[in-house]
Amino acid sequence: MKIFLVGGAVRNKLLNLPIQDKDWVVVGATPEIMIKKGYQQVGNNFPVFINPNNGEEYSLARTESKAGKGYNGFITWSTPDITLEQDLKRRDLTINAIACDEKGNLFDPYNGQYDIVHRKLRHVSSAFNEDPLRVLRVARFAASFAHLNFRIANETKKLMYQMAKNGELSDLTVERVWQETSKALMSNNPQIYFYVLRECGALNILIPEINNLFGIPSPAKWHPEIDTGIHTLMSLTMSAALSNSIDVRFATLLHDVGKSLTPPNKWPSHHNHGKLGVSLVKSLCNRWRISNSITNLAIIVTEFHDMIHNIEHQPIESLVDLFNRIDAWRKPYRVEQIAIISEADARGRTGLENIYYKQSRYLLFTFKLALKVSTKKLIQQGLKGIQISQELNKRRIQAIKKGLIKNMK
C-alpha cells in the first residue's frame, strides 16, 4: 500500500501558489484494508475515505470508462492492481496529473512538469472528451492561471470545440455549470473563462444570454469598442479589479443583456434595454438556481445601471425613489455595490479604462446624506403607517438638497 499526494496540491506547489486542499491516492489497497487502518469510507460509486487524523480525502486508485451521458455516466473500477499511472491517466490536464510520494519524489508520466514550465493547459488523453464538464474546467483554469501566462494547447482547443459541436455539453446539470462558472467569476481574470467558452462554441450552448451580445453594436460616442459582447467582458475585467464579490461580478456580467432584445433596425441605439433585460436575468438565474442575493442585485443593476451614469442630472426625488426601490435603507450595501458596478461599466470601454467616475461618488455621498434622517424621531412624533414613509421621503429629499448646497460652498 502506497499513498501519493495528487492533483491541485502538487500543481500549486510547483507553481509556488497557495495550497487550498490536499487530495491523496492510495495504490495497492482495498476498502477493507483502509477501514482496518481507521479510515472512514464516504464514497459509494468509488471508494473514498476520510483520514480521521487530518480530515483529508484518500481515494483508492481507480480507472473509469464511459457508460452513459453527462458527468455521472461513468463506471469506475478500483482494485489493488491498478497502478498510479492508470489512475493519473483519467485526470483532465497534465498539470493536474502529477503525483508526489511521502519522500517528495514526483511521478509525472504525462509530462505535466513540462507543461508547467511552458505554461500549457493540455489534456492528458483522448478520454478527456468523455466528460463534458472538462470543457468548463479548462476554461476556468485558463481564467485562474492567465496571470501566469498559461494558454490552452491547440490540440486541447480542438477537442473542446468538437465536444461542443457534438452536443455533449447539453448533458451537463445546471448545478455543475453554475459551480464552475461561479469559481471562474472569482478568478483573477474571469473574462477569460467566457472568451474560451465562446471560442470553442460552448458559450452559445450554456449561456446564450451572453453569447448573443457579441456582434451587437452600441453608439461609438459612448462605446468606442462598439461590440456589446466585448464591452460586457471588459466591464467584467474592471469589476474584478474593483471588487472580490461574486454578486458584483455576476451583476456586471449581465448588466447589458437587454441589448440582445433590441431589433436590428434600431441599432446602435438600445432604448429601454435595462428593463427589457430583467426578464433575461430572471430566466438565467432561475435556470441555474442561483441564490436570491446574487439574483436580486443582478436584476437591480440590469434595470437601473443607465440611470447612474447621469445621476447628477436626476431630480433628487428620483434619487430617493431609487433608494426606496432597491431597499437601500435595509440593505445599504447595495448602494456601494451599484456604485462599483456602474464604475466598472463606465470604465469597461476602450480608452476609458482610467477615467475618474464621479457618478459613483455622487451616489454614495447623497445616500449618506439621506441616511441622516431618523425614522425613530418620526415615530416619537406620533406618525404612523404611510405617514412615516411620506415624511421620510420628504425629509430625505430635503437632507440631500441641503447637503449638496453646503458641499458646493
Side-chain angles (χ1 to χ4, degrees):
M1 170 176 161
K2 295 182 179 179
I3 298 175
F4 300 89
L5 182 66
V6 295
V10 179
R11 176 201 67 221
N12 282 12
K13 184 177 181 180
L14 293 172
L15 287 169
N16 293 315
L17 295 175
I19 295 175
Q20 305 296 335
D21 301 299
K22 291 183 178 181
D23 293 316
W24 305 85
V25 162
V26 183
V27 177
T30 63
E32 292 74 21
I33 292 174
M34 297 295 287
I35 292 171
K36 188 175 181 180
K37 289 182 174 291
Y39 292 82
Q40 301 167 354
Q41 185 168 350
V42 295
N44 293 320
N45 295 330
F46 49 83
V48 176
F49 301 83
I50 300 296
N51 184 334
N53 296 322
N54 57 24
E56 294 171 351
E57 288 191 359
Y58 289 67
S59 302
L60 297 188
R62 65 184 187 272
T63 59
E64 296 174 339
S65 67
K66 187 75 168 176
K69 293 184 176 181
Y71 175 74
N72 294 314
F74 292 90
I75 295 176
T76 62
W77 286 271
S78 181
T79 57
D81 59 343
I82 291 176
T83 65
L84 177 64
E85 185 173 346
Q86 287 176 303
D87 180 273
L88 295 174
K89 188 176 182 179
R90 66 178 177 78
R91 298 177 183 272
D92 49 9
L93 298 173
T94 59
I95 65 170
N96 296 329
I98 308 171
C100 181
D101 68 12
E102 58 186 8
K103 295 181 179 179
N105 298 312
L106 294 177
F107 295 82
D108 183 17
Y110 304 104
N111 299 316
Q113 293 175 88
Y114 176 90
D115 284 338
I116 285 177
V117 170
H118 292 87
R119 298 306 199 239
K120 289 292 183 180
L121 300 173
R122 192 190 317 274
H123 63 284
V124 173
S125 72
S126 59
F128 179 94
N129 66 4
E130 294 180 350
D131 184 357
L133 186 66
R134 289 177 171 174
V135 172
L136 277 72
R137 281 176 57 83
V138 172
R140 174 166 65 83
F141 282 123
S144 298
F145 296 144
H147 68 293
L148 298 176
N149 296 316
F150 271 86
R151 298 293 183 269
I152 303 172
N154 288 333
E155 59 267 34
T156 303
K157 284 184 179 181
K158 291 178 182 178
L159 193 54
M160 292 166 66
Y161 172 81
Q162 197 61 47
M163 291 169 70
K165 185 178 179 180
N166 291 342
E168 276 280 316
L169 303 183
S170 299
D171 297 319
L172 288 171
T173 65
V174 293
E175 290 84 3
R176 299 301 304 207
V177 174
W178 172 237
Q179 184 179 47
E180 291 300 321
T181 303
S182 60
K183 289 178 180 178
L185 282 169
M186 294 308 296
S187 67
N188 291 317
N189 291 279
Q191 75 282 358
I192 298 296
Y193 175 79
F194 300 96
Y195 277 123
V196 169
L197 292 184
R198 184 167 186 268
E199 184 180 22
C200 73
L203 192 63
N204 186 45
I205 298 169
L206 301 174
I207 324 176
E209 294 86 352
I210 301 301
N211 189 74
N212 292 342
L213 296 176
F214 287 89
I216 294 179
S218 290
K221 178 181 179 181
W222 309 113
H223 288 274
E225 71 289 340
I226 307 294
D227 191 291
T228 304
I230 292 173
H231 162 66
T232 293
L233 297 190
M234 288 179 70
S235 299
L236 178 61
T237 303
M238 191 60 64
S239 76
L242 296 173
S243 171
N244 61 0
S245 163
I246 189 171
D247 301 45
V248 166
R249 296 183 182 193
F250 183 72
T252 304
L253 175 70
L254 296 185
H255 78 279
D256 261 352
V257 291
K259 289 185 177 180
S260 67
L261 300 178
T262 303
N265 65 323
K266 301 292 185 181
W267 292 351
S269 176
H270 297 280
H271 179 68
N272 209 32
H273 72 276
K275 288 185 177 180
L276 289 174
V278 169
S279 62
L280 295 178
V281 173
K282 288 181 177 179
S283 175
L284 174 60
C285 292
N286 286 335
R287 185 169 79 243
W288 281 1
R289 300 166 193 168
I290 296 174
S291 69
N292 288 337
S293 66
I294 297 176
T295 298
N296 291 338
L297 180 63
I299 291 171
I300 288 169
V301 167
T302 299
E303 182 171 358
F304 296 112
H305 67 277
D306 266 2
M307 176 183 176
I308 308 302
H309 293 324
N310 59 19
I311 195 168
E312 293 171 293
H313 304 292
Q314 297 284 340
I316 302 303
E317 291 79 3
S318 297
L319 189 54
V320 172
D321 181 59
L322 171 66
F323 294 145
N324 288 333
R325 294 180 68 180
I326 68 173
D327 200 14
W329 317 114
R330 291 193 308 147
K331 300 174 180 177
Y333 55 84
R334 279 185 175 171
V335 179
E336 183 174 0
Q337 290 175 323
I338 293 171
I340 292 171
I341 295 165
S342 297
E343 180 172 347
D345 177 17
R347 294 172 60 190
R349 309 177 192 211
T350 301
L352 303 177
E353 294 87 350
N354 296 313
I355 63 167
Y356 176 74
Y357 188 69
K358 60 183 179 180
Q359 291 91 328
S360 63
R361 279 71 179 176
Y362 182 90
L363 178 68
L364 294 170
F365 178 65
T366 54
F367 181 60
K368 185 178 180 180
L369 292 173
L371 281 176
K372 293 179 180 179
V373 178
S374 171
T375 305
K376 186 177 180 181
K377 287 183 179 180
L378 296 181
I379 296 174
Q380 290 173 346
Q381 292 172 11
L383 296 180
K384 296 180 180 179
I386 194 171
Q387 292 178 322
I388 295 177
S389 61
Q390 290 174 341
E391 188 63 23
L392 272 175
N393 281 346
K394 180 180 177 181
R395 295 193 184 188
R396 284 165 175 163
I397 291 168
Q398 291 173 346
I400 293 174
K401 288 181 177 179
K402 288 180 180 178
L404 289 174
I405 292 172
K406 183 178 179 181
N407 189 58
M408 291 172 63
K409 292 180 179 179

